[in-house]
Amino acid sequence: MPHLHIEKFETIELPTTVDDVTFHFIANNAAREDEKLIATSYEGEDFFLLLKDDGKRVLLKTDKLTRPASIYNVHKALLAYAKAAGLKVVASNVPEGGKNVHLKEANALKKIEYFAHEFPTDKEVHIEVGFGSGRHLLHQAANNPDILFIGIEIHRPSIEQVLKQVVIQKLDNVLVLDYDARLFLELVPSNLVGKIYVHFPVPWDKKPHRRVISTTFIKESRRVLKVGGTLELRTDSEKYYAYSYETFIAFPKITLNINKNKDIAVSSKYEDRWKKQEKNIYDVIMINDEESEELKIEGDFSFDSITSTQEYLLALHNKTIRFEDGFIHFERIYKTDKGVMLRVSMGSFDRPEHLYVMIEDEKASYYPELPLRSKANLHAHKELNKVFNG
Ligand SMILES: C[S@@+](CC[C@H](N)C(=O)[O-])C[C@H]1O[C@@H](n2cnc3c(N)ncnc32)[C@H](O)[C@@H]1O
């Protein structure tokens, strides 16, 4: 994670623009003095820089929830703030130079909003969940130029590595997304996708709620797959294979193909390792044979005017509200010049979203972006609106 270890934090007059980076306001954690968020925008993206002071070190870094797609934009913003405030940098892992040439050219990296607003539908789509080193994704893309490959990963170094390869190999049919694939599927149009690859997912034996394969994931896959489309799980974990098989077969109607130790066109880094150890490799391939209804999600993310006092809002810190199919947890509360900002996790239990909500002048809004339009989030939003009004 890029960061500047600084001697001492200094505030600046806001809003201010330095080297094309604009700093808007500062939100101070209301419960502890060691944390501040600096609202920043650069190249059309809004995000926070995070200041952490643990008593030993003062670090200026990026806020994980809102970090921009390009790591270069984080570097740029950190350096711009340090320059504006005249910060003394003790140590840093932020390169002073320009963009890495490959990352600069990479426009394959998209934000979730891109898919939410204009899901590409002009080509057949294949999705790879958790592409890791990207060997399989890149191989498939190079060999199938007429298919659009969407690679989803949550591990930043893997994403950067694959973006470089996309540029080097001049691939124009790969889009990359840094997001939880389970949430992503909820906004994919119905009957569009030819294949969904889930190769060597983390088995999460101790935290099963984090597994990619689940009843909901299979249901969503069936909805987004076109007739004849396939969901392809490949795993070396006997436990994960058994769990997945049970989860698939519990559906009243389903078509499955099972293979053991079948070679495929390209072997990933993980696969090479397991083969060396002579482990068995299992494929569970689900073939979708039904057309699904169009995706319909109703509702919006607007709030009523907020009549609650600041005291009431500050007291929400650490509270959890549960309802039938989800929850809201108030993780942190910040004070801004004009009001309060809350960091909440909300939505379904197994796939919550983490978000910021600003409340100023009796108006509440998500900042910097709206939640993903999923059924669970829309329901949680309704409940949040109720909480804000006591
Ligand atoms: C064990 S690795 C396998 C990587 C690659 N498929 C291979 O075969 O080498 C699993 C990958 O899935 C990613 N991952 C785990 N949960 C995910 C999720 N919910 N959405 C997207 N990627 C996820 C992890 O970051 C990790 O890179």
Side-chain angles (χ1 to χ4, degrees):
M1 272 297 200
H3 63 263
L4 301 178
H5 171 189
I6 55 176
E7 201 171 86
K8 186 167 161 267
F9 181 68
E10 302 284 350
T11 49
I12 49 173
E13 207 165 295
L14 297 172
T16 297
T17 301
V18 182
D19 294 342
D20 300 325
V21 184
T22 303
F23 301 103
H24 302 277
F25 63 89
I26 291 189
N28 296 289
N29 191 319
R32 37 198 283 192
E33 283 195 352
D34 64 352
E35 189 193 300
K36 294 180 198 301
L37 293 171
I38 306 164
T40 305
S41 49
Y42 178 59
E43 287 195 339
E45 281 189 294
D46 294 306
F47 55 98
F48 285 118
L49 295 184
L50 168 67
L51 180 85
K52 274 266 185 198
D53 180 353
D54 66 3
K56 285 188 209 132
R57 291 199 309 168
V58 188
L59 291 182
L60 187 61
K61 49 189 183 178
T62 174
D63 165 52
K64 276 196 201 151
L65 284 196
T66 56
R67 70 180 171 191
S70 159
I71 200 87
Y72 168 77
N73 292 1
V74 177
H75 294 164
K76 178 90 186 173
L78 288 169
L79 296 174
Y81 192 91
K83 182 173 167 187
L87 300 181
K88 197 155 174 223
V89 177
V90 180
S92 150
N93 63 356
V94 177
E96 295 268 347
K99 268 185 204 189
N100 172 311
V101 67
H102 296 309
L103 290 181
K104 191 170 164 189
E105 290 168 34
N107 51 18
L109 183 62
K110 297 290 179 208
K111 287 199 104 178
I112 188 68
E113 289 72 28
Y114 168 83
F115 295 100
H117 297 138
E118 43 179 321
F119 202 100
T121 53
D122 49 337
K123 276 187 180 178
E124 170 159 341
V125 171
H126 289 187
I127 295 172
E128 178 154 352
V129 173
F131 54 72
S133 68
R135 256 196 228 173
H136 179 261
L137 179 71
L138 295 163
H139 171 89
Q140 288 290 351
N143 286 286
N144 298 282
D146 295 334
I147 293 175
L148 174 67
F149 288 85
I150 303 177
I152 310 169
E153 201 16 277
I154 49 177
H155 183 238
R156 257 309 160 124
S158 302
I159 292 174
E160 306 259 322
Q161 194 184 325
V162 166
L163 286 174
K164 276 185 205 162
Q165 283 304 318
V166 168
V167 175
I168 292 169
Q169 297 182 32
K170 296 193 170 51
L171 297 171
D172 62 0
N173 59 336
V174 180
L175 296 179
V176 172
L177 175 66
D178 176 359
Y179 207 71
D180 187 325
R182 300 169 299 174
L183 281 168
F184 169 76
L185 266 203
E186 288 192 20
L187 54 83
V188 178
S190 304
N191 310 306
L192 176 74
V193 178
K195 281 180 195 286
I196 303 172
Y197 299 105
V198 184
H199 284 182
F200 302 96
V202 183
W204 291 117
D205 288 338
K206 293 201 177 117
K207 291 184 183 169
H209 65 280
R210 297 191 65 173
R211 288 177 182 153
V212 169
I213 299 290
S214 70
T215 303
T216 317
F217 186 84
I218 297 170
K219 261 193 211 154
E220 283 299 308
S221 297
R222 283 164 73 120
R223 182 185 63 72
V224 308
L225 285 171
K226 54 190 199 180
V227 173
T230 50
L231 165 59
E232 308 197 358
L233 165 71
R234 190 163 171 86
T235 181
D236 58 287
S237 157
E238 298 220 359
K239 269 194 195 160
Y240 199 86
Y241 161 70
Y243 151 81
S244 302
Y245 179 77
E246 267 174 34
T247 313
F248 277 108
I249 214 71
F251 278 75
K253 195 175 169 215
I254 199 151
T255 309
L256 294 179
N257 272 343
I258 312 277
N259 296 309
K260 187 174 166 185
N261 295 330
K262 185 181 169 189
D263 284 327
I264 56 169
V266 60
S267 178
S268 76
K269 244 158 93 176
Y270 275 85
E271 184 160 342
D272 285 350
R273 190 189 301 164
W274 307 138
K275 278 183 177 159
K276 257 189 215 145
Q277 293 177 17
E278 296 188 348
K279 275 178 101 176
N280 289 320
I281 290 170
Y282 302 90
D283 290 305
V284 182
I285 298 170
M286 178 193 80
I287 303 154
N288 176 47
D289 34 32
E290 273 173 24
E291 180 124 358
S292 299
E293 278 189 18
E294 286 306 304
L295 175 64
K296 242 192 260 145
I297 307 175
E298 284 169 7
D300 66 43
F301 288 112
S302 59
F303 287 98
D304 297 333
S305 111
I306 311 292
T307 48
S308 303
T309 61
Q310 195 181 80
E311 230 180 350
Y312 169 85
L313 296 170
L314 290 175
L316 291 173
H317 182 218
N318 261 337
K319 292 228 157 71
T320 305
I321 288 139
R322 288 165 207 270
F323 36 92
E324 195 201 323
D325 57 350
F327 76 102
I328 301 166
H329 177 66
F330 295 91
E331 296 178 336
R332 288 176 211 171
I333 317 265
Y334 299 85
K335 280 188 190 171
T336 65
D337 277 355
K338 294 193 205 136
V340 169
M341 189 173 83
L342 304 97
R343 178 173 144 149
V344 295
S345 46
M346 65 178 217
S348 61
F349 295 106
D350 52 349
R351 289 161 303 148
E353 276 223 64
H354 301 262
L355 305 145
Y356 292 104
V357 187
M358 300 270 293
I359 303 182
E360 289 179 350
D361 304 327
E362 298 188 359
K363 286 195 196 99
S365 55
Y366 292 96
Y367 187 91
E369 273 144 14
L370 293 178
L372 191 69
R373 268 180 75 76
S374 68
K375 281 185 196 141
N377 286 349
L378 282 158
H379 185 195
H381 168 75
K382 266 194 185 165
E383 299 292 330
L384 186 60
N385 193 32
K386 281 190 218 159
V387 176
F388 283 162
N389 284 300

